[in-house]
Amino acid sequence: MHIGKIYKRNSIILFLFYISIFSCKNIEYSPNQIFDRNSYRDINANNLKKLGTGSQDDTVRFVVTGDTQEWYDETVKFYKTVNSIPGVDFVIVAGDVTEFGTLKEMQWLAEKLANLNVPYVSVIGNHDLTSRGRDAFIRMYGELNYSFVYGGVKFICHDTNSREYQFNGNVPDIPWLKKELQHEDGVSSYVAISHVPPISPDFDQKLVKDYAAIFDETPGFLTSFHGHTHNFEEFKLGSSPTPYVITSAVGKREFLLVEIINNKLSFEQISF
Amino acid sequence: MLFFLGTATSSAQKLKFLIPDAAIGQYAGSIGYFSIGAGYEIFKNKKGYLDFNYGYVPASKGGELHVATVKLAYKPFEIKLSDWGKLYPFNPGFFLSYTFHEDLAFRFHSDEYPRGYYYWSPALRPHLSVSNEIELSMAKIWKEELGIKRVGIYTEFNTNDFYLANYFQNVSSLSLSDVFQLGIGIRLKF
């Protein structure tokens, strides 16, 4: 056979091959678009609906993780590990679901986390606020400050990424937190979850005192969970009684398994 | 007067290289819902493409964006399909896109972030691409000159620094089809 003919045929096969591995899913208008035809919507609200109120659940058991960023391989191992633990009610991802704040990264992560056997919610991280990430996150997950009650525990998920707002004094939103931590029937304890911990220079240092005071003054406030530093840490602010706990990062292959029984919180560090 | 006309003609000839060799329309491909552009055939062998595109994403297709793109590509292989058509099966390229939006600065402000806090540009994106093109010779099809000598229909796959960084760190959980994005376009060649 003539060499040119082989070359021509192979080129056409190659051509057909690389057209065939792509589909409509690969139609992208811009890396900066905030949604597309296939992107997830309102994950937090939909998953909270699945979770329910847990009114019959006297053992609230949940996973706190965060900073998935560029660690999709590890995220796969993460959901497999969580799926193998019995009795987990839900998972909270404490921010930085992307490295670059793009829709594609959010979508990739949501596709992986869709394999969790239990519902999950995400909280916004500083990386997710870069580029068009804020709008993409709001559409895919929902509000940046939100709360839910499960098994008599109120979970306060909020934005503490002050640096991304040029330390404008509104992040974290102190009045919103005050309102959310007011006494409520059917709620016996409170847990806060946010990305940047108050000991970080990325947290608005002008607000630390007020922030800590709200938690300290709330009867039944258990713990404030954070991400961001990628290192497990447990600390208190000065003489304040509130415990703060930083979950490790998915990239470090560690997460926290938290349990609340009779208004007492305990947790375990799990490696995977 | 004659002198003036003479210089005008010669400078017009000098500027002739500015006249594009092609008009381009492209759907998707990460540089707009739709983009239009001017293309040049470059290098002595005319196998290089240099394109300038303006793209637009309407609010309903992912949030309103304006995108300016400069593309460079090369067509190393050429397969004659018949006397009216050619296939360029594998054309590697590189392009830069700049997206205009208030959330997208050229770089992160140095007085808002410590040095090296975020290391990338939000607005300027480098892309790698590979395209294929079927080129129809209009003279053979239309049997007459209509100003457009050849029409190229192409599909282009591209990725960018963000997606590649993610891909190389996650080769088992991300695939090439996750990180490469598709665009379809037409080149009207004068």
Side-chain angles (χ1 to χ4, degrees):
Chain A
M1 197 185 272
H2 191 267
I3 193 89
K5 255 190 184 159
I6 297 172
Y7 168 68
K8 183 168 162 177
R9 201 175 64 186
N10 287 345
S11 304
I12 292 172
I13 289 168
L14 176 75
F15 171 79
L16 292 175
F17 168 74
Y18 78 89
I19 283 195
S20 64
I21 62 166
F22 293 91
S23 65
C24 291
K25 172 179 134 192
N26 300 86
I27 296 281
E28 181 183 75
Y29 303 140
S30 164
N32 299 306
Q33 71 188 94
I34 55 170
F35 63 90
D36 64 31
R37 278 185 301 181
N38 304 306
S39 53
Y40 286 92
R41 276 198 90 160
D42 304 319
I43 291 176
N44 287 347
N46 292 335
N47 282 350
L48 288 173
K49 211 178 283 169
K50 277 185 216 155
L51 177 65
T53 58
S55 50
Q56 304 302 314
D57 199 346
D58 53 7
T59 306
V60 177
R61 191 180 285 139
F62 60 98
V63 165
V64 182
T65 187
D67 299 273
T68 56
Q69 284 163 294
E70 291 174 291
W71 286 292
Y72 300 94
D73 283 359
E74 288 75 8
T75 299
V76 171
K77 295 188 181 89
F78 165 76
Y79 75 67
K80 286 180 176 163
T81 309
V82 172
N83 285 349
S84 71
I85 302 173
V88 174
D89 296 312
F90 60 94
V91 171
I92 301 183
V93 183
D96 278 358
V97 296
T98 66
E99 174 77 3
F100 305 110
T102 63
L103 171 70
K104 272 280 163 3
E105 294 172 285
M106 279 181 208
Q107 182 72 14
W108 293 332
L109 185 77
E111 283 168 6
K112 307 291 175 231
L113 292 180
N115 294 301
L116 279 166
N117 291 340
V118 294
Y120 77 97
V121 292
S122 290
V123 180
I124 192 127
N126 58 300
H127 280 258
D128 311 321
L129 286 162
T130 60
S131 295
R132 301 278 288 127
R134 179 192 161 85
D135 289 344
F137 186 95
I138 289 172
R139 192 181 153 106
M140 189 175 291
Y141 283 102
E143 287 307 311
L144 307 189
N145 293 325
Y146 64 98
S147 65
F148 62 95
V149 178
Y150 183 83
V153 184
K154 187 169 188 182
F155 293 84
I156 317 285
C157 304
H158 60 289
D159 182 356
T160 53
N161 307 293
S162 321
R163 188 183 293 280
E164 303 309 314
Y165 302 87
Q166 293 82 48
F167 301 111
N168 66 5
N170 299 324
V171 179
D173 188 338
I174 300 292
W176 182 85
L177 285 168
K178 272 188 186 154
K179 204 180 86 215
E180 288 294 320
L181 288 162
Q182 273 166 14
H183 173 76
E184 207 174 310
D185 286 341
V187 174
S188 51
S189 47
Y190 297 84
V191 168
I193 297 109
S194 64
H195 183 64
V196 175
I199 45 166
S200 166
D202 301 323
F203 191 104
D204 196 335
Q205 293 302 307
K206 302 186 296 289
L207 300 176
V208 172
K209 224 179 110 201
D210 288 349
Y211 186 76
I214 301 170
F215 296 163
D216 294 348
E217 288 159 14
T218 302
F221 190 91
L222 300 176
T223 298
S224 180
F225 288 101
H226 304 270
H228 193 53
T229 66
H230 300 195
N231 289 311
F232 171 78
E233 196 178 341
E234 219 181 334
F235 64 93
K236 285 186 177 175
L237 292 172
S239 57
S240 151
T242 302
Y244 295 81
V245 178
I246 301 175
T247 180
S248 191
V250 162
K252 286 254 172 80
R253 299 195 180 188
E254 285 171 351
F255 62 83
L256 298 179
L257 178 63
V258 188
E259 205 169 75
I260 302 171
I261 305 173
N262 287 330
N263 303 326
K264 292 265 184 315
L265 183 146
S266 61
F267 63 83
E268 198 185 330
Q269 272 181 276
I270 310 260
S271 296
F272 61 94
Chain B
M1 187 67 194
L2 261 178
F3 173 75
F4 176 74
L5 273 177
T7 48
T9 343
S10 74
S11 52
Q13 268 163 358
K14 270 183 209 154
L15 291 173
K16 214 178 155 192
F17 74 93
L18 282 175
I19 300 168
D21 301 310
I24 302 161
Q26 183 178 311
Y27 166 68
S30 312
I31 59 166
Y33 174 68
F34 200 81
S35 57
I36 51 167
Y40 297 87
E41 288 176 351
I42 56 168
F43 307 133
K44 273 216 177 82
N45 61 13
K46 300 279 181 196
K47 287 188 170 192
Y49 277 156
L50 175 65
D51 300 343
F52 298 88
N53 279 42
Y54 160 75
Y56 180 69
V57 182
S60 63
K61 299 291 178 189
E64 189 177 45
L65 299 167
H66 298 271
V67 190
T69 307
V70 183
K71 286 190 192 181
L72 199 60
Y74 192 72
K75 303 178 286 181
F77 311 113
E78 176 183 320
I79 298 162
K80 199 174 173 216
L81 298 173
S82 72
D83 54 348
W84 51 262
K86 277 179 194 164
L87 174 68
Y88 302 100
F90 191 85
N91 315 321
F94 168 80
F95 62 89
L96 290 170
S97 68
Y98 194 96
T99 309
F100 299 89
H101 188 282
E102 57 175 354
D103 290 351
L104 302 165
F106 172 60
R107 56 198 183 97
F108 289 94
H109 240 276
S110 59
D111 45 347
E112 287 170 20
Y113 298 97
R115 183 183 268 270
Y117 194 88
Y118 297 127
Y119 48 88
W120 61 89
S121 165
L124 184 71
R125 241 352 8 85
H127 303 249
L128 285 177
S129 67
V130 53
S131 70
N132 53 71
E133 179 181 327
I134 288 173
E135 186 189 75
L136 308 172
S137 172
M138 297 322 282
K140 298 278 182 208
I141 293 167
W142 287 343
K143 308 276 185 215
E144 57 184 310
E145 282 283 325
L146 286 172
I148 298 163
K149 293 194 185 84
R150 291 158 295 141
V151 171
I153 296 161
Y154 65 89
T155 51
E156 179 196 77
F157 305 95
N158 88 87
T159 187
N160 60 52
D161 53 341
F162 287 171
Y163 299 171
L164 279 180
N166 275 295
Y167 177 70
F168 287 123
Q169 206 173 309
N170 299 283
V171 284
S172 74
S173 58
L174 293 180
S175 66
L176 281 174
S177 93
D178 281 322
V179 297
F180 273 87
Q181 309 304 324
L182 175 63
I184 299 162
I186 187 164
R187 292 179 81 91
L188 308 174
K189 304 176 189 188
F190 311 128

